Amino acid sequence: MHDRSLLGPADVSDAQLTAMVADLLGHPTADVCLTSSTAEPVDYDLPAITTASRHWVSGTARTPTGESHFRIFVKHVQSWERHPFFAEVHPEIAELAAAGVPWRTEPLAYRSDLGDRLPDGLTMPRALGVFDLDELSAAIWLEEVRAGHPTWDLDRYRRAAYLLGQLAASPRVAERRNVGDVAWTVQTYVSGRLQHQVLPMLAADELWQHPLVAGAFEPALRGRLRTEAELVQGYADELMALPQLAAHGDASPNNLLAGPTPGSFVLIDYGFWLPNVVGFDLGQLLVGDVQIGKRSPDLLVETDEAIVPAYVDGLRAEGLDVEESTVRRAHALHLLLFTGLSTLPFELLDQPPTPEAHAAAAARASIARFSLDLLDAAVG
């Protein structure tokens, strides 16, 4: 029995699936007969504007060693032009907005040999197939990652930061750091989302009067954010002048799955796999779990103090000697531009002001304060 209709355009032919299952199970395609296959949605509650769907495809196949079960992860990625949010983009900046989210990097990363170049301790899921669906979307079929759920204590954060430093500085990784030849930089973000969405929100007095915002973002915090908002172009210029290295682009704990050996990680989600400023990956490693409510903002200071030196050690392990003060400054600037200035919970303002919404707003305000304090301490 075969029913993969839930996949929609991301589905493949039975022959293509048979070839992928044979590859997964380690048999010649001619020796494998697909006997059943079904698709079901992945239980995943973190939306992404470039992800159309996530599914598990599972089933059975006859092989030379008997009947075998299989399970494959299918991710349908697309330009965010196809996301409902894109309808809110003003037509005059639509092209700029679409280019600001380089969705093509993920399928291209999985088509490359990047997995063979990652530092010891980092792996990525094996791609069984990558299929272009049309000019604005692709389907990625990956082996299942059987990850545990270890506690993210400070030692785990240090280990992740060290490996991300190695990844950034590795000469072998550098050869694949821009597999999509995408012209995306910090300046792209500043000229796009910051200038056209974030900064106008910071300047809108009525937004600060909303109960959800007013209850978490005190007047002093509002003043500090608005002051820094006037300096973003200078900060972007400063970042662009620093070393540009390989970067995952979204190295939150959620994208660093437990690897097969202690202290190892499986790195997933390559939508922003691009060259970027030294220290770029520290931002999401630090605040990713705070943003989704999995980690207390009260732990930001001690976590930051753990990951920055570890990242610098990772850089040096690959032969790149960058002063820790330089990394701290780059990290602080990046955190402010990409996270601190955009912490206002605008997506919650049209929802009931539940205790959960107030807690989320308070956590966002804590991130904003921390990013401002971090920049104050990281004198250029």
Side-chain angles (χ1 to χ4, degrees), residues 43-208:
D43 183 14
Y44 192 84
D45 59 1
L46 296 177
I49 58 175
T50 57
T51 301
S53 66
R54 303 175 183 89
H55 287 89
W56 290 114
V57 169
S58 56
T60 56
R62 288 197 300 272
T63 74
T65 56
E67 186 170 79
S68 298
H69 294 269
F70 67 88
R71 195 182 195 207
I72 302 174
F73 178 74
V74 184
K75 185 175 184 181
H76 179 179
V77 298
Q78 63 183 10
S79 168
W80 88 282
E81 295 171 73
R82 292 186 171 168
H83 193 280
F85 287 172
F86 199 80
E88 301 175 13
V89 175
H90 194 284
E92 290 183 0
I93 63 166
E95 184 176 351
L96 177 67
V101 185
W103 70 273
R104 290 182 178 86
T105 59
E106 183 155 31
L108 290 169
Y110 279 113
R111 278 186 170 126
S112 76
D113 65 348
L114 175 62
D116 298 327
R117 296 168 177 267
L118 296 175
D120 290 343
L122 285 179
T123 58
M124 61 190 291
R126 181 164 63 104
L128 302 169
V130 180
F131 305 94
D132 293 323
L133 305 180
D134 56 35
E135 71 281 2
L136 294 179
S137 65
I140 305 167
W141 293 63
L142 302 172
E143 66 176 353
E144 180 182 6
V145 178
R146 298 181 181 274
H149 301 281
T151 300
W152 275 83
D153 56 17
L154 289 182
D155 284 341
R156 189 165 185 80
Y157 273 97
R158 288 190 189 96
R159 177 62 176 164
Y162 178 85
L163 291 172
L164 290 170
Q166 280 196 283
L167 176 134
S170 165
R172 281 175 49 78
V173 172
E175 295 176 4
R176 298 293 181 269
R177 68 180 184 174
N178 195 2
V179 292
D181 194 24
V182 177
W184 192 99
T185 66
V186 168
Q187 185 59 54
T188 306
Y189 179 78
V190 169
S191 300
R193 182 169 185 248
L194 268 188
Q195 294 288 353
H196 293 282
Q197 183 189 45
V198 175
L199 299 188
M201 285 194 301
L202 290 175
D205 288 336
E206 63 276 11
L207 188 62
W208 296 93

Side-chain angles (χ1 to χ4, degrees), residues 182-251:
V182 177
W184 192 99
T185 66
V186 168
Q187 185 59 54
T188 306
Y189 179 78
V190 169
S191 300
R193 182 169 185 248
L194 268 188
Q195 294 288 353
H196 293 282
Q197 183 189 45
V198 175
L199 299 188
M201 285 194 301
L202 290 175
D205 288 336
E206 63 276 11
L207 188 62
W208 296 93
Q209 296 167 9
H210 189 286
L212 199 60
V213 176
F217 291 76
E218 70 277 4
L221 179 55
R222 176 182 62 188
R224 294 178 71 189
L225 288 170
R226 283 179 161 179
T227 296
E228 296 299 336
E230 297 176 358
L231 304 174
V232 295
Q233 188 54 60
Y235 291 156
D237 292 341
E238 186 177 344
L239 283 172
M240 291 294 291
L242 293 173
Q244 306 294 306
L245 307 175
H248 175 268
D250 188 12

Side-chain angles (χ1 to χ4, degrees), residues 347-370:
E347 78 281 10
L348 303 176
L349 301 185
D350 60 351
Q351 300 179 21
T354 62
E356 292 77 14
H358 280 287
R364 300 277 190 89
S366 294
I367 293 172
R369 289 187 205 96
F370 176 83

